[in-house]
Protein backbone atom coordinates (compact mmCIF):
# COMPACT_ATOMS: atom_id res chain seq x y z
CA UNK A 1 0.00 0.00 0.00
CA UNK A 2 1.31 3.47 -0.86
CA UNK A 3 2.15 5.65 2.14
CA UNK A 4 -0.79 7.83 3.12
CA UNK A 5 -0.47 11.05 5.11
CA UNK A 6 -3.06 13.32 6.64
CA UNK A 7 -1.81 16.87 6.16
CA UNK A 8 -5.03 18.60 5.19
CA UNK A 9 -8.56 17.36 5.83
CA UNK A 10 -9.15 17.31 2.06
CA UNK A 11 -6.55 14.52 1.80
CA UNK A 12 -9.49 12.34 2.81
CA UNK A 13 -12.55 11.91 0.61
CA UNK A 14 -15.97 12.38 2.16
CA UNK A 15 -16.44 8.63 1.76
CA UNK A 16 -13.26 7.95 3.74
CA UNK A 17 -14.39 10.36 6.46
CA UNK A 18 -17.71 8.51 6.66
CA UNK A 19 -15.76 5.25 7.04
CA UNK A 20 -13.61 6.73 9.82
CA UNK A 21 -16.70 7.94 11.65
CA UNK A 22 -18.30 4.51 11.32
CA UNK A 23 -15.14 2.84 12.64
CA UNK A 24 -14.90 5.31 15.55
CA UNK A 25 -18.52 4.65 16.50
CA UNK A 26 -17.84 0.91 16.42
CA UNK A 27 -14.78 1.44 18.65
CA UNK A 28 -16.97 3.36 21.10
CA UNK A 29 -19.47 0.49 21.13
CA UNK A 30 -16.94 -2.38 21.19
CA UNK A 31 -13.53 -1.18 22.41
CA UNK A 32 -12.30 -4.69 23.29
CA UNK A 33 -12.49 -5.68 19.62
CA UNK A 34 -9.77 -3.14 18.84
CA UNK A 35 -7.51 -3.60 21.86
CA UNK A 36 -4.75 -5.47 19.98
CA UNK A 37 -5.03 -4.08 16.45
CA UNK A 38 -1.71 -2.21 16.81
CA UNK A 39 0.25 -4.79 18.80
CA UNK A 40 3.95 -4.28 17.98
CA UNK A 41 3.40 -0.90 16.30
CA UNK A 42 4.86 2.40 17.48
CA UNK A 43 3.48 5.91 17.18
CA UNK A 44 5.91 8.84 17.49
CA UNK A 45 4.39 12.08 18.76
CA UNK A 46 6.65 14.96 17.71
CA UNK A 47 5.33 18.11 19.33
CA UNK A 48 7.50 21.11 18.50
CA UNK A 49 4.87 23.26 20.22
CA UNK A 50 3.21 22.65 23.60
CA UNK A 51 0.00 20.64 23.66
CA UNK A 52 -1.77 18.62 26.29
CA UNK A 53 -4.96 17.44 24.73
CA UNK A 54 -3.91 16.49 21.24
CA UNK A 55 -0.68 14.73 22.23
CA UNK A 56 -2.32 12.77 25.03
CA UNK A 57 -5.25 11.96 22.79
CA UNK A 58 -2.91 10.48 20.18
CA UNK A 59 -1.00 8.55 22.82
CA UNK A 60 -4.20 7.31 24.46
CA UNK A 61 -5.49 6.27 21.03
CA UNK A 62 -2.37 4.24 20.25
CA UNK A 63 -2.34 2.63 23.68
CA UNK A 64 -6.02 1.79 23.26
CA UNK A 65 -5.11 -0.09 20.09
CA UNK A 66 -2.37 -2.06 21.85
CA UNK A 67 0.51 -0.09 20.34
CA UNK A 68 3.31 1.89 21.96
CA UNK A 69 4.36 5.53 21.84
CA UNK A 70 7.55 7.58 21.87
CA UNK A 71 8.37 11.20 21.17
CA UNK A 72 8.90 14.66 22.64
CA UNK A 73 6.60 17.43 23.74
CA UNK A 74 8.65 20.60 23.15
CA UNK A 75 11.11 21.78 20.52
CA UNK A 76 13.78 22.49 23.13
CA UNK A 77 13.90 18.80 24.03
CA UNK A 78 14.57 17.76 20.43
CA UNK A 79 17.50 18.24 18.05
CA UNK A 80 15.75 21.35 16.77
CA UNK A 81 17.50 23.09 19.66
CA UNK A 82 20.80 22.15 17.96
CA UNK A 83 19.65 23.64 14.67
CA UNK A 84 18.38 20.50 12.97
CA UNK A 85 15.72 21.08 10.33
CA UNK A 86 12.22 19.73 10.81
CA UNK A 87 12.63 17.56 7.72
CA UNK A 88 15.76 15.90 9.10
CA UNK A 89 14.22 15.38 12.53
CA UNK A 90 11.14 13.71 11.08
CA UNK A 91 13.17 11.69 8.58
CA UNK A 92 15.26 10.34 11.46
CA UNK A 93 12.27 9.48 13.63
CA UNK A 94 10.59 7.78 10.68
CA UNK A 95 13.38 5.17 10.94
CA UNK A 96 12.19 4.27 14.46
CA UNK A 97 8.40 4.50 14.36
CA UNK A 98 5.59 3.12 12.21
CA UNK A 99 3.57 6.35 12.13
CA UNK A 100 4.18 9.96 13.23
CA UNK A 101 1.83 12.60 14.61
CA UNK A 102 3.51 16.01 14.56
CA UNK A 103 2.66 19.52 15.68
CA UNK A 104 4.76 22.48 14.64
CA UNK A 105 4.29 26.25 15.01
CA UNK A 106 5.22 26.92 11.38
CA UNK A 107 2.58 26.56 8.68
CA UNK A 108 3.32 23.78 6.22
CA UNK A 109 5.91 22.00 8.40
CA UNK A 110 4.04 18.64 8.23
CA UNK A 111 3.81 18.96 4.44
CA UNK A 112 7.58 19.51 4.31
CA UNK A 113 8.18 16.56 6.65
CA UNK A 114 5.94 14.25 4.63
CA UNK A 115 8.14 14.72 1.56
CA UNK A 116 10.99 12.79 3.25
CA UNK A 117 9.31 10.65 5.89
CA UNK A 118 9.31 6.90 5.31
CA UNK A 119 6.13 6.43 7.38
CA UNK A 120 2.71 8.13 7.42
CA UNK A 121 2.63 11.67 8.82
CA UNK A 122 -0.39 13.01 10.65
CA UNK A 123 -0.62 16.79 10.95
CA UNK A 124 -1.48 17.44 14.60
CA UNK A 125 -1.59 21.20 13.98
CA UNK A 126 0.68 23.52 11.99
CA UNK A 127 0.56 27.07 13.30
CA UNK A 128 -2.67 28.82 12.40
CA UNK A 129 -3.03 26.77 9.26
CA UNK A 130 -4.61 23.31 9.66
CA UNK A 131 -5.57 20.80 12.31
CA UNK A 132 -7.25 17.94 10.47
CA UNK A 133 -7.58 15.48 13.37
CA UNK A 134 -9.44 18.12 15.37
CA UNK A 135 -11.71 18.40 12.35
CA UNK A 136 -12.30 14.65 12.33
CA UNK A 137 -13.11 14.96 16.04
CA UNK A 138 -15.53 17.79 15.29
CA UNK A 139 -17.20 15.84 12.49
CA UNK A 140 -17.61 12.74 14.67
CA UNK A 141 -19.10 14.90 17.43
CA UNK A 142 -21.52 16.65 15.09
CA UNK A 143 -22.51 13.27 13.65
CA UNK A 144 -23.14 11.84 17.12
CA UNK A 145 -25.00 14.93 18.34
CA UNK A 146 -27.05 15.65 15.19
CA UNK A 147 -27.17 12.23 13.57
CA UNK A 148 -26.01 13.72 10.26
CA UNK A 149 -23.35 15.87 8.60
CA UNK A 150 -25.66 17.82 6.29
CA UNK A 151 -28.45 20.39 6.30
CA UNK A 152 -27.70 22.62 9.28
CA UNK A 153 -26.50 26.12 10.12
CA UNK A 154 -23.14 26.37 11.86
CA UNK A 155 -21.74 29.50 13.47
CA UNK A 156 -17.99 29.89 14.01
CA UNK A 157 -17.22 32.45 16.68
CA UNK A 158 -13.99 34.14 17.82
CA UNK A 159 -10.61 33.97 16.15
CA UNK A 160 -11.39 32.91 12.61
CA UNK A 161 -8.16 34.29 11.18
CA UNK A 162 -5.66 32.15 13.07
CA UNK A 163 -8.11 29.47 14.20
CA UNK A 164 -6.81 26.46 12.30
CA UNK A 165 -9.67 24.27 13.54
CA UNK A 166 -12.10 26.69 11.92
CA UNK A 167 -10.23 26.54 8.61
CA UNK A 168 -10.14 22.76 8.50
CA UNK A 169 -13.77 22.29 9.58
CA UNK A 170 -14.96 24.87 7.06
CA UNK A 171 -13.12 23.00 4.29
CA UNK A 172 -14.54 19.67 5.41
CA UNK A 173 -18.16 20.84 5.76
CA UNK A 174 -18.00 22.68 2.43
CA UNK A 175 -18.04 19.24 0.81
CA UNK A 176 -21.31 18.28 2.53
CA UNK A 177 -24.74 19.41 1.34
CA UNK A 178 -27.03 22.03 2.81
CA UNK A 179 -24.56 23.65 5.22
CA UNK A 180 -25.06 27.35 5.92
CA UNK A 181 -22.00 29.05 7.40
CA UNK A 182 -22.11 32.04 9.76
CA UNK A 183 -18.74 33.58 10.67
CA UNK A 184 -18.78 35.68 13.84
CA UNK A 185 -15.62 37.67 14.58
CA UNK A 186 -14.17 41.12 15.04
CA UNK A 187 -12.91 42.76 11.87
CA UNK A 188 -9.26 41.92 12.65
CA UNK A 189 -9.92 38.20 13.08
CA UNK A 190 -12.12 37.48 10.06
CA UNK A 191 -11.82 34.28 8.04
CA UNK A 192 -8.88 34.49 5.57
CA UNK A 193 -9.76 35.49 2.02
CA UNK A 194 -8.30 32.33 0.51
CA UNK A 195 -10.91 30.24 2.31
CA UNK A 196 -13.75 32.51 1.30
CA UNK A 197 -12.61 32.58 -2.32
CA UNK A 198 -11.29 29.08 -2.86
CA UNK A 199 -13.58 27.06 -0.65
CA UNK A 200 -16.87 28.92 -0.29
CA UNK A 201 -17.33 31.26 -3.26
CA UNK A 202 -15.76 28.84 -5.70
CA UNK A 203 -18.31 26.18 -4.75
CA UNK A 204 -21.28 28.56 -4.49
CA UNK A 205 -21.69 27.92 -0.76
CA UNK A 206 -23.74 30.54 1.14
CA UNK A 207 -22.16 32.24 4.11
CA UNK A 208 -22.52 35.39 6.15
CA UNK A 209 -20.12 37.39 8.29
CA UNK A 210 -21.09 39.37 11.35
CA UNK A 211 -19.53 40.83 14.48
CA UNK A 212 -22.62 40.10 16.63
CA UNK A 213 -23.07 36.67 18.22
CA UNK A 214 -26.40 37.74 19.74
CA UNK A 215 -27.84 38.68 16.35
CA UNK A 216 -27.36 35.22 14.85
CA UNK A 217 -27.77 32.99 17.91
CA UNK A 218 -31.44 31.99 17.23
CA UNK A 219 -30.66 30.56 13.80
CA UNK A 220 -27.72 28.34 14.77
CA UNK A 221 -27.86 24.54 14.96
CA UNK A 222 -24.17 24.27 15.86
CA UNK A 223 -22.07 26.94 17.58
CA UNK A 224 -18.31 26.47 17.31
CA UNK A 225 -16.54 28.71 19.82
CA UNK A 226 -12.80 29.38 19.60
CA UNK A 227 -10.13 30.89 21.81
CA UNK A 228 -8.20 33.99 20.76
CA UNK A 229 -4.71 32.47 20.84
CA UNK A 230 -1.97 34.60 22.33
CA UNK A 231 0.76 32.64 20.55
CA UNK A 232 -0.59 33.65 17.11
CA UNK A 233 -0.02 37.36 17.68
CA UNK A 234 3.22 39.19 16.98
CA UNK A 235 1.88 42.17 18.92
CA UNK A 236 0.66 41.57 22.50
CA UNK A 237 -1.35 44.78 22.50
CA UNK A 238 -3.54 43.40 19.69
CA UNK A 239 -4.08 40.19 21.66
CA UNK A 240 -5.14 42.06 24.80
CA UNK A 241 -7.50 44.25 22.83
CA UNK A 242 -9.26 41.31 21.14
CA UNK A 243 -9.15 38.42 23.63
CA UNK A 244 -12.40 39.16 25.43
CA UNK A 245 -14.54 40.05 22.43
CA UNK A 246 -16.87 37.06 22.85
CA UNK A 247 -17.80 35.30 26.06
CA UNK A 248 -20.59 32.73 25.91
CA UNK A 249 -22.83 32.84 28.98
CA UNK A 250 -26.16 31.18 29.93
CA UNK A 251 -27.86 34.54 29.30
CA UNK A 252 -26.62 34.66 25.71
CA UNK A 253 -27.98 31.15 25.16
CA UNK A 254 -31.58 32.10 26.09
CA UNK A 255 -32.67 32.78 22.48
CA UNK A 256 -30.76 29.75 21.13
CA UNK A 257 -32.41 26.62 19.78
CA UNK A 258 -33.20 23.88 22.28
CA UNK A 259 -31.15 21.37 20.29
CA UNK A 260 -28.17 23.64 19.68
CA UNK A 261 -24.80 21.86 19.85
CA UNK A 262 -22.00 23.92 21.40
CA UNK A 263 -18.49 22.89 20.38
CA UNK A 264 -15.04 24.17 21.32
CA UNK A 265 -11.69 22.62 20.38
CA UNK A 266 -10.37 23.48 23.87
CA UNK A 267 -8.48 24.62 25.81
CA UNK A 268 -10.72 27.52 26.68
CA UNK A 269 -9.67 30.55 28.64
CA UNK A 270 -12.81 32.53 29.36
CA UNK A 271 -14.72 32.51 26.07
CA UNK A 272 -17.21 30.00 27.47
CA UNK A 273 -18.38 30.65 31.00
CA UNK A 274 -18.10 27.58 33.26
CA UNK A 275 -21.79 28.11 34.01
CA UNK A 276 -22.50 26.84 30.49
CA UNK A 277 -20.82 23.49 31.18
CA UNK A 278 -23.93 22.02 32.83
CA UNK A 279 -26.15 22.94 29.87
CA UNK A 280 -26.93 19.70 27.98
CA UNK A 281 -26.21 21.57 24.75
CA UNK A 282 -22.55 21.97 25.79
CA UNK A 283 -20.86 19.15 23.86
CA UNK A 284 -17.22 20.18 24.18
CA UNK A 285 -16.17 17.60 26.75
CA UNK A 286 -17.94 14.86 24.80
CA UNK A 287 -15.98 16.27 21.84
CA UNK A 288 -12.69 15.69 23.70
CA UNK A 289 -13.63 12.08 24.35
CA UNK A 290 -14.54 11.56 20.70
CA UNK A 291 -11.06 12.79 19.72
CA UNK A 292 -9.45 9.64 21.04
CA UNK A 293 -11.79 7.32 19.12
CA UNK A 294 -11.49 9.08 15.77
CA UNK A 295 -7.68 9.09 16.13
CA UNK A 296 -7.80 5.34 16.79
CA UNK A 297 -9.76 4.94 13.56
CA UNK A 298 -7.30 7.18 11.69
CA UNK A 299 -4.19 5.35 12.93
CA UNK A 300 -5.74 2.07 11.80
CA UNK A 301 -6.56 3.49 8.38
CA UNK A 302 -3.11 4.97 7.74
CA UNK A 303 -1.44 1.74 8.88
CA UNK A 304 -3.94 -0.26 6.80
CA UNK A 305 -5.00 -2.35 9.80
CA UNK A 306 -8.40 -3.78 10.55
CA UNK A 307 -9.98 -5.27 13.67
CA UNK B 1 17.55 48.71 -37.24
CA UNK B 2 18.87 45.32 -38.33
CA UNK B 3 19.75 42.44 -36.05
CA UNK B 4 21.39 39.47 -37.74
CA UNK B 5 19.47 36.20 -37.98
CA UNK B 6 20.76 33.42 -35.80
CA UNK B 7 21.85 30.00 -37.08
CA UNK B 8 21.36 27.85 -34.00
CA UNK B 9 19.59 29.11 -30.93
CA UNK B 10 16.35 30.40 -29.48
CA UNK B 11 14.14 33.36 -30.26
CA UNK B 12 11.67 34.49 -27.62
CA UNK B 13 8.95 36.40 -29.43
CA UNK B 14 5.77 38.24 -28.45
CA UNK B 15 7.21 39.44 -25.18
CA UNK B 16 5.08 42.15 -23.66
CA UNK B 17 6.72 45.48 -24.44
CA UNK B 18 9.15 46.48 -21.70
CA UNK B 19 9.34 43.04 -20.03
CA UNK B 20 12.41 41.67 -21.82
CA UNK B 21 14.79 42.62 -19.03
CA UNK B 22 12.69 40.71 -16.49
CA UNK B 23 13.05 37.63 -18.66
CA UNK B 24 16.77 38.28 -19.13
CA UNK B 25 17.11 38.26 -15.35
CA UNK B 26 14.87 35.25 -14.55
CA UNK B 27 16.47 33.07 -17.25
CA UNK B 28 19.96 34.12 -16.07
CA UNK B 29 20.93 35.10 -19.61
CA UNK B 30 23.72 37.25 -18.21
CA UNK B 31 25.58 34.00 -17.53
CA UNK B 32 25.70 33.04 -21.22
CA UNK B 33 28.88 33.53 -23.29
CA UNK B 34 27.06 33.69 -26.62
CA UNK B 35 25.53 36.72 -28.29
CA UNK B 36 22.17 37.78 -26.88
CA UNK B 37 20.12 40.49 -28.59
CA UNK B 38 17.33 42.29 -26.80
CA UNK B 39 15.00 44.15 -29.08
CA UNK B 40 12.63 46.50 -27.33
CA UNK B 41 9.46 48.04 -28.73
CA UNK B 42 9.54 46.18 -32.04
CA UNK B 43 6.47 46.73 -34.22
CA UNK B 44 3.83 44.02 -33.89
CA UNK B 45 0.59 43.62 -35.83
CA UNK B 46 -1.05 41.80 -32.93
CA UNK B 47 0.44 43.60 -29.96
CA UNK B 48 1.28 47.05 -31.31
CA UNK B 49 4.71 46.89 -29.67
CA UNK B 50 6.60 43.88 -28.41
CA UNK B 51 10.00 42.83 -27.16
CA UNK B 52 12.10 40.05 -28.67
CA UNK B 53 15.13 38.20 -27.29
CA UNK B 54 17.48 36.33 -29.64
CA UNK B 55 19.94 33.87 -28.10
CA UNK B 56 22.66 32.77 -30.49
CA UNK B 57 23.25 29.35 -28.99
CA UNK B 58 21.14 26.24 -28.40
CA UNK B 59 19.89 26.18 -24.82
CA UNK B 60 17.20 24.61 -22.68
CA UNK B 61 14.74 27.36 -21.84
CA UNK B 62 12.91 26.97 -18.53
CA UNK B 63 9.39 27.02 -19.92
CA UNK B 64 7.85 27.10 -16.44
CA UNK B 65 9.63 30.33 -15.60
CA UNK B 66 8.79 31.80 -18.95
CA UNK B 67 5.16 30.69 -18.76
CA UNK B 68 4.88 32.24 -15.32
CA UNK B 69 6.36 35.55 -16.43
CA UNK B 70 4.26 35.79 -19.57
CA UNK B 71 2.23 32.85 -21.00
CA UNK B 72 1.76 34.74 -24.28
CA UNK B 73 5.43 34.47 -25.23
CA UNK B 74 6.31 32.14 -28.11
CA UNK B 75 9.55 30.18 -28.07
CA UNK B 76 11.13 29.52 -31.47
CA UNK B 77 13.88 26.93 -31.75
CA UNK B 78 16.29 27.72 -34.63
CA UNK B 79 18.55 25.16 -36.29
CA UNK B 80 20.69 25.82 -39.36
CA UNK B 81 19.04 29.18 -39.76
CA UNK B 82 15.48 27.75 -39.85
CA UNK B 83 12.74 27.57 -37.27
CA UNK B 84 12.24 23.89 -36.44
CA UNK B 85 9.87 24.26 -33.50
CA UNK B 86 7.48 26.86 -32.14
CA UNK B 87 6.34 26.44 -28.55
CA UNK B 88 3.29 28.16 -27.10
CA UNK B 89 3.32 28.60 -23.35
CA UNK B 90 0.72 28.36 -20.61
CA UNK B 91 0.71 29.25 -16.94
CA UNK B 92 2.51 26.29 -15.31
CA UNK B 93 0.54 24.16 -12.86
CA UNK B 94 3.51 24.00 -10.49
CA UNK B 95 6.44 26.34 -9.83
CA UNK B 96 9.53 25.13 -8.01
CA UNK B 97 12.04 27.70 -6.76
CA UNK B 98 10.77 30.43 -9.07
CA UNK B 99 8.96 32.56 -6.51
CA UNK B 100 9.14 32.47 -2.73
CA UNK B 101 6.58 32.68 0.06
CA UNK B 102 6.48 35.90 2.05
CA UNK B 103 4.25 34.57 4.85
CA UNK B 104 6.35 34.96 8.01
CA UNK B 105 4.56 31.96 9.53
CA UNK B 106 5.42 29.65 6.62
CA UNK B 107 7.99 26.89 7.25
CA UNK B 108 9.87 27.95 4.08
CA UNK B 109 10.71 31.28 5.75
CA UNK B 110 12.24 29.47 8.73
CA UNK B 111 13.96 26.74 6.70
CA UNK B 112 14.97 28.33 3.38
CA UNK B 113 16.69 25.17 2.11
CA UNK B 114 13.21 23.76 1.36
CA UNK B 115 12.07 23.93 -2.25
CA UNK B 116 9.71 26.86 -2.71
CA UNK B 117 6.67 25.17 -4.30
CA UNK B 118 3.68 27.08 -5.63
CA UNK B 119 0.58 25.60 -7.27
CA UNK B 120 -1.63 27.34 -9.80
CA UNK B 121 -4.71 28.47 -7.94
CA UNK B 122 -6.80 30.50 -10.37
CA UNK B 123 -5.71 30.61 -14.03
CA UNK B 124 -8.02 33.55 -14.77
CA UNK B 125 -6.70 35.71 -11.96
CA UNK B 126 -3.14 34.39 -12.45
CA UNK B 127 -2.85 33.49 -8.77
CA UNK B 128 -0.69 30.84 -7.16
CA UNK B 129 -0.71 29.44 -3.65
CA UNK B 130 2.14 28.18 -1.52
CA UNK B 131 2.03 24.37 -1.30
CA UNK B 132 3.11 24.58 2.35
CA UNK B 133 0.97 27.32 3.90
CA UNK B 134 -1.63 28.12 1.20
CA UNK B 135 -0.63 31.81 1.11
CA UNK B 136 -1.75 33.29 -2.18
CA UNK B 137 0.58 35.06 -4.55
CA UNK B 138 -0.50 37.23 -7.46
CA UNK B 139 1.60 37.00 -10.61
CA UNK B 140 3.12 40.47 -10.65
CA UNK B 141 4.59 40.79 -14.10
Amino acid sequence: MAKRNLIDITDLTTGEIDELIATAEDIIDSPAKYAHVCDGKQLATLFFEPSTRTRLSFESAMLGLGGQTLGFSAANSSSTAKGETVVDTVHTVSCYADIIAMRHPKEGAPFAAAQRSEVPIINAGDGGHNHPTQTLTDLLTIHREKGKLCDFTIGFCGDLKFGRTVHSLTSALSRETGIHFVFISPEELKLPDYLKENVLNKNGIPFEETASLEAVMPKLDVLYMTRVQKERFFNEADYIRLKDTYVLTPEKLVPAKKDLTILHPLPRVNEISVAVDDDPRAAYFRQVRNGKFIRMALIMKLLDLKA
Amino acid sequence: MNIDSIQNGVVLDHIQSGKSMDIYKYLHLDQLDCQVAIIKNAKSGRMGKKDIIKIDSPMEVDLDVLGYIDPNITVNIIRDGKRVEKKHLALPEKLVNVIHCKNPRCITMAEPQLDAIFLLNDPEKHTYRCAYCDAEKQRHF
Side-chain angles (χ1 to χ4, degrees), chain A residues 39-201:
Chain A
D39 278 356
K41 300 286 183 187
Q42 293 183 328
L43 164 77
T45 52
L46 309 188
F47 278 63
F48 298 84
E49 186 180 62
S51 158
T52 307
R53 209 164 326 275
T54 306
R55 184 171 58 83
L56 292 181
S57 175
F58 269 110
E59 292 180 0
S60 175
M62 192 54 166
L63 294 172
L65 291 168
Q68 294 173 302
T69 67
L70 65 161
F72 55 82
S73 56
N76 60 12
S77 59
S78 75
S79 288
T80 305
K82 300 175 188 167
E84 186 175 54
T85 65
V86 63
V87 172
D88 279 357
T89 302
V90 173
H91 193 182
T92 301
V93 174
S94 74
C95 301
Y96 308 141
D98 298 289
I99 186 167
I100 293 172
M102 69 172 284
R103 169 170 290 189
H104 198 282
K106 290 294 181 183
E107 299 177 7
F111 174 80
Q115 310 306 307
R116 295 297 302 275
S117 172
E118 296 177 15
V119 301
I121 297 286
I122 301 173
N123 179 2
D126 59 335
H129 187 218
N130 276 317
H131 193 354
T133 62
Q134 179 64 47
T135 304
L136 291 173
T137 302
D138 300 339
L139 292 171
L140 173 61
T141 306
I142 292 170
H143 190 264
R144 288 182 70 75
E145 299 288 325
K146 296 287 179 210
K148 60 183 181 181
L149 286 178
C150 57
D151 302 317
F152 57 78
T153 296
I154 181 168
F156 291 94
C157 180
D159 177 3
L160 311 188
K161 182 178 181 182
F162 300 119
R164 56 193 172 194
T165 59
V166 174
H167 304 168
S168 290
L169 186 54
T170 298
S171 294
L173 286 176
S174 72
R175 300 190 294 179
E176 305 290 343
T177 56
I179 307 291
H180 182 73
F181 292 88
V182 182
F183 297 106
I184 308 143
S185 73
E187 185 66 27
E188 297 90 335
L189 297 176
K190 286 171 80 172
L191 194 74
D193 286 341
Y194 79 85
L195 277 165
K196 284 186 262 185
E197 285 298 318
N198 301 341
V199 176
L200 300 171
N201 288 337

